[in-house]
């Protein structure tokens, strides 16, 4: 058993996202167990305050701040929904000088169910993860057989965000379309920011096919006749490209980069997004639309195949 200096737990999502770390923090902060808990804010401070109140201000810390760095060095646990170092590590440079002081357990809450084949990212020997929260028997088998974790490394309790979802809530007459991003259409992550490749994006099948779908007369007629609204949720990595789709908006079609209440939607459309498992949990129908299947299978994204094929 490791002997930690103080009982400090830090919770991290990433910029533009309130995910499993946020939901876990909201639950944990109510516990009276002597643990000091802090949620790391990348942005959206006002939105978070509106949701949970300013009374928790003292438990919010700004990403990369002096306070974040000091608490990071003294933390006993870091709970993160994104495992890349840059998302939870406040030291953009100079971390090597402090490595001998770090003594925290890294809990990976995930931000979905891992179904894409990415052993070079998630294999046990490739990262510093100590424990992983999983939601299914499939994940137990996947993480142990393909990614070399021990069963005792897996916390079989389900993603925190699933706990707030109401499976019995009646859906509105709304459809959610939420494709995932593509690595070849935006720059590398540097200091939590990405360089835009606007012209490359506009020339891609990903953009052309999605825009053609949204502007389809057949789609518009279908939505109007059935009085349904389609909400196109742009992936947070692509949110700077939102204006390229603005002209497709209309009475029955809305575009957003903000969080949505998943239970509100009667149907889910996606490509490879792990959001699909939230809708499996809700027992709602799913449609797959693959606008750039050939490019994907050729390796233009960070993965080119799935551990769990779409057909399954």
């Amino acid at each position: 058993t490791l002997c930690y200096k103080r009982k400090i737990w830090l919770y991290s999502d990433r910029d533009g996202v309130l995910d499993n770390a946020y939901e876990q923090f909201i639950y944990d902060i109510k516990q009276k167990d002597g643990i000091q808990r802090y949620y790391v804010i990348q942005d959206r401070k006002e939105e978070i305050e509106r949701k949970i109140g300013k009374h928790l201000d003292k438990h919010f810390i700004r990403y990369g701040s002096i306070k974040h760095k000091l608490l990071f060095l003294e933390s006993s646990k870091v709970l993160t929904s994104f495992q890349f170092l840059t998302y939870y590590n406040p030291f953009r440079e100079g971390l090597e000088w402090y490595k001998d002081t770090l003594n925290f357990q890294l809990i990976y809450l995930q931000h979905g169910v891992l179904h894409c084949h990415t052993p070079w990212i998630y294999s046990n020997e490739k990262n510093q993860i100590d424990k992983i929260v999983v939601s299914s028997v499939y994940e137990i088998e996947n993480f142990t057989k393909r990614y070399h974790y021990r069963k005792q490394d897996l916390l079989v309790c389900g993603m925190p965000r699933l706990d707030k979802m109401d499976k019995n809530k009646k859906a509105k007459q709304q459809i959610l379309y939420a494709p995932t991003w593509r690595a070849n259409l935006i720059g590398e992550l540097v200091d939590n920011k990405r360089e835009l490749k606007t012209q490359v994006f506009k020339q891609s099948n990903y953009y052309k096919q999605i825009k053609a779908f949204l502007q389809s007369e057949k789609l518009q007629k279908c939505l109007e006749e059935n009085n349904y609204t389609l909400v196109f949720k742009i992936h947070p990595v692509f949110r700077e490209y939102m204006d390229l789709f603005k002209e497709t908006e209309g009475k029955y079609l809305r575009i957003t980069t903000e969080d949505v209440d998943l239970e509100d939607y009667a149907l889910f459309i996606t490509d490879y997004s792990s959001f699909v498992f939230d809708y499996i949990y809700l027992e709602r129908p799913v449609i797959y639309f693959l606008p750039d299947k050939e490019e994907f299978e050729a390796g233009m994204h960070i993965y080119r195949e799935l551990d769990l094929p779409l057909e399954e």
Side-chain angles (χ1 to χ4, degrees):
T1 303
L2 295 175
C3 181
Y4 296 117
K5 292 165 285 186
R6 294 168 64 188
K7 290 184 177 180
I8 295 175
W9 292 15
L10 302 184
Y11 300 74
S12 294
D13 288 311
R14 73 177 184 195
D15 61 316
V17 174
L18 300 178
D19 209 301
N20 284 316
Y22 171 80
E23 298 298 338
Q24 189 67 53
F25 169 77
I26 295 302
Y27 175 82
D28 287 355
I29 198 66
K30 301 172 186 175
Q31 311 309 310
K32 307 298 182 183
D33 51 14
I35 295 171
Q36 299 177 55
R37 294 181 165 91
Y38 301 91
Y39 181 73
V40 179
I41 292 180
Q42 310 250 359
D43 55 11
R44 304 172 70 172
K45 186 174 187 291
E46 292 181 358
E47 179 185 342
I48 294 171
E49 287 177 342
R50 284 198 305 272
K51 285 188 173 184
I52 59 179
K54 290 188 176 183
H55 65 287
L56 290 178
D57 260 5
K58 63 181 180 180
H59 296 280
F60 300 149
I61 54 174
R62 180 70 64 178
Y63 174 85
S65 64
I66 294 295
K67 187 174 182 180
H68 186 194
K69 291 177 180 178
L70 291 174
L71 290 171
F72 183 77
L73 294 175
E74 293 197 57
S75 61
S76 54
K77 290 192 194 308
V78 172
L79 298 90
T80 178
S81 56
F82 296 87
Q83 95 294 350
F84 287 121
L85 185 65
T86 186
Y87 288 131
Y88 62 85
N89 162 40
F91 293 91
R92 293 189 175 130
E93 55 184 30
L95 182 61
E96 63 272 14
W97 299 108
Y98 304 100
K99 280 186 176 179
D100 60 334
T101 71
L102 299 177
N103 205 17
F104 60 79
Q105 189 178 44
L106 185 63
I107 312 296
Y108 181 39
L109 301 171
Q110 299 204 73
H111 50 279
V113 172
L114 179 65
H115 68 306
C116 55
H117 186 65
T118 48
W120 54 91
I121 297 176
Y122 290 105
S123 285
N124 192 15
E125 66 273 15
K126 291 290 187 179
N127 55 63
Q128 304 300 314
I129 295 170
D130 294 300
K131 300 285 184 182
I132 302 177
V133 169
V134 297
S135 310
S136 60
V137 172
Y138 153 73
E139 288 172 282
I140 297 173
E141 295 177 354
N142 200 33
F143 275 115
T144 54
K145 292 179 180 178
R146 284 195 177 97
Y147 297 90
H148 317 130
Y149 291 90
R150 303 169 301 170
K151 282 192 175 181
Q152 56 264 41
D153 296 330
L154 306 177
L155 304 175
V156 190
C157 55
M159 289 187 296
R161 73 169 184 245
L162 296 181
D163 287 343
K164 71 169 187 176
M165 297 175 69
D166 183 1
K167 297 179 72 171
N168 298 315
K169 183 178 179 181
K170 185 177 180 181
K172 299 177 181 179
Q173 288 186 262
Q174 294 185 148
I175 299 167
L176 181 64
Y177 174 39
T180 192
W181 64 295
R182 301 292 190 272
N184 63 308
L185 302 181
I186 199 161
E188 295 287 332
L189 184 67
V190 178
D191 291 340
N192 266 2
K193 293 185 178 180
R194 293 180 181 272
E195 176 191 2
L196 299 182
K197 296 182 178 180
T198 305
Q199 291 308 311
V200 174
F201 185 85
K202 289 173 70 174
Q203 293 168 8
S204 68
N205 274 332
Y206 178 92
Y207 172 68
K208 291 176 181 178
Q209 295 296 329
I210 289 177
K211 194 167 184 181
F213 164 62
L214 297 177
Q215 292 180 321
S216 161
E217 290 184 9
K218 189 174 181 180
L219 173 65
Q220 300 300 326
K221 184 178 180 181
C222 180
L223 294 173
E224 185 174 353
E225 288 180 351
N226 293 281
N227 196 29
Y228 265 74
T229 299
L230 186 143
V231 176
F232 174 35
K233 186 181 186 312
I234 297 176
H235 192 279
V237 174
F238 280 172
R239 62 182 173 178
E240 297 299 328
Y241 294 142
M242 181 175 176
D243 286 346
L244 298 178
F245 294 99
K246 271 295 185 181
E247 64 186 276
T248 65
E249 280 195 303
K251 183 178 179 181
Y252 297 97
L253 200 156
R254 184 164 58 87
I255 299 174
T256 185
T257 60
E258 300 300 317
D259 299 325
V260 296
D261 291 326
L262 301 185
E263 306 102 306
D264 287 345
Y265 298 89
L267 172 68
F268 182 55
I269 306 174
T270 189
D271 47 11
Y272 309 104
S273 173
S274 60
F275 256 152
V276 70
F277 295 97
D278 294 66
Y279 282 94
I280 291 170
Y281 176 78
L282 288 170
E283 300 178 359
R284 304 276 173 86
V286 172
I287 291 176
Y288 289 110
F289 168 43
L290 312 178
D292 55 349
K293 188 171 184 288
E294 290 185 3
E295 291 93 331
F296 172 82
E297 292 177 347
M300 302 299 279
H301 191 34
I302 56 174
Y303 53 90
R304 61 195 296 175
E305 59 181 308
L306 304 176
D307 288 333
L308 184 64
L310 297 184
E311 294 81 5
E312 297 180 24

